[in-house]
Amino acid sequence: DAGVTQSPTHLIKTRGQQVTLRCSPKSGHDTVSWYQQALGQGPQFIFQYYEEEERQRGNFPDRFSGHQFPNYSSELNVNALLLGDSALYLCASSLGHRTDTQYFGPGTRLTVL
Amino acid sequence: GENVEQHPSTLSVQEGDSAVIKCTYSDSASNYFPWYKQELGKGPQLIIDIRSNVGEKKDQRIAVTLNKTAKHFSLHITETQPEDSAVYFCAEEGGSYIPTFGRGTSLIVHP
């Protein structure tokens, strides 16, 4: 079992650009959550996808959007990048909303210049 | 969850000593309290958790205690080893099933 995988591992973009990050959940998991982790901070919840729909959303602007595919994999899209979007983006998969089954991927390090 | 305060931000101990990390929360509806370990270059890993109907839980060298009245919970690591060195996060979760994380504690275990 490969666990949760994310791609790419690192990414450098400039302000105003758009970015897409990808996540494959742990085998058997049907729910994907995305988190933003700024340097020296704990992860902050962005949104959660279940049955290809956004089920819950944290306090993030509409520039952050996502998608879940029939195979449960997911994408995070960020438009009009700002310097403050520089962070580690973590994907976590779980069985439904059960946090006690949640596994995190290694993350994608996004740098916005 | 609304707000989680975590202390200390850095904790340095000698191998074999105990380490304690404390968190406080403000949401009375919080009912699930997980702890995560994050090693360099990796995502957080759940190491132990506790629910609001339990006061203490232990798993080998790690234990978690919860005081719902005072709204605080703690992680205890005994007989620390160099491989325990990592950043530890507490989190709390209420009816929304969305965890709110603390800012993390960097634990350094010196051989």
Side-chain angles (χ1 to χ4, degrees):
Chain A
D1 182 6
V4 180
T5 60
Q6 293 186 243
S7 63
T9 53
H10 296 86
L11 203 52
I12 299 175
K13 292 285 188 179
T14 56
R15 279 180 300 174
Q17 286 190 311
Q18 178 264 345
V19 68
T20 297
L21 311 181
R22 296 175 175 83
C23 171
S24 290
K26 179 178 169 62
S27 177
H29 284 182
D30 56 6
T31 300
V32 172
S33 301
W34 286 93
Y35 294 82
Q36 180 193 67
Q37 186 177 21
L39 204 61
Q41 306 283 327
Q44 271 198 295
F45 175 78
I46 302 175
F47 43 52
Q48 183 180 81
Y49 277 84
Y50 173 72
E51 292 188 339
E52 301 180 49
E53 290 190 357
E54 182 182 294
R55 184 159 64 179
Q56 294 208 63
R57 189 179 184 93
N59 189 25
F60 279 80
D62 292 345
R63 298 187 297 109
F64 290 77
S65 64
H67 189 79
Q68 185 180 34
F69 299 94
N71 67 352
Y72 306 118
S73 67
S74 177
E75 287 182 351
L76 164 66
N77 301 293
V78 187
N79 294 323
L81 285 167
L82 303 173
L83 296 179
D85 295 332
S86 295
L88 180 68
Y89 287 85
L90 295 163
C91 168
S93 71
S94 59
L95 285 169
H97 56 63
R98 290 187 55 188
T99 308
D100 60 349
T101 67
Q102 191 172 77
Y103 279 79
F104 281 87
T108 293
R109 173 71 63 187
L110 172 64
T111 302
V112 182
L113 302 176
Chain B
E2 293 177 1
N3 191 33
V4 181
E5 297 286 335
Q6 182 172 347
H7 299 280
S9 56
T10 305
L11 181 58
S12 185
V13 300
Q14 288 296 129
E15 183 177 0
D17 287 351
S18 294
V20 180
I21 302 170
K22 299 182 179 182
C23 288
T24 60
Y25 62 98
S26 57
D27 188 355
S28 299
S30 300
N31 54 28
Y32 177 63
F33 306 89
W35 285 89
Y36 294 87
K37 176 183 181 181
Q38 187 173 24
E39 296 174 299
L40 204 60
K42 297 184 179 180
Q45 175 192 6
L46 179 68
I47 56 171
I48 194 167
D49 56 11
I50 193 167
R51 297 194 181 272
S52 59
N53 58 347
V54 177
E56 184 174 356
K57 183 176 178 180
K58 189 174 181 180
D59 182 5
Q60 299 182 358
R61 294 186 299 108
I62 60 173
V64 58
T65 59
L66 171 65
N67 183 328
K68 279 217 78 177
T69 303
K71 294 194 180 70
H72 64 72
F73 55 114
S74 301
L75 176 71
H76 305 252
I77 305 174
T78 58
E79 300 172 32
T80 53
Q81 301 166 3
E83 51 266 39
D84 293 331
S85 296
V87 179
Y88 291 81
F89 293 96
C90 64
E92 59 84 19
E93 184 181 295
S96 68
Y97 302 106
I98 302 301
T100 300
F101 287 78
R103 295 184 63 163
T105 295
S106 178
L107 174 63
I108 303 163
V109 181
H110 299 280

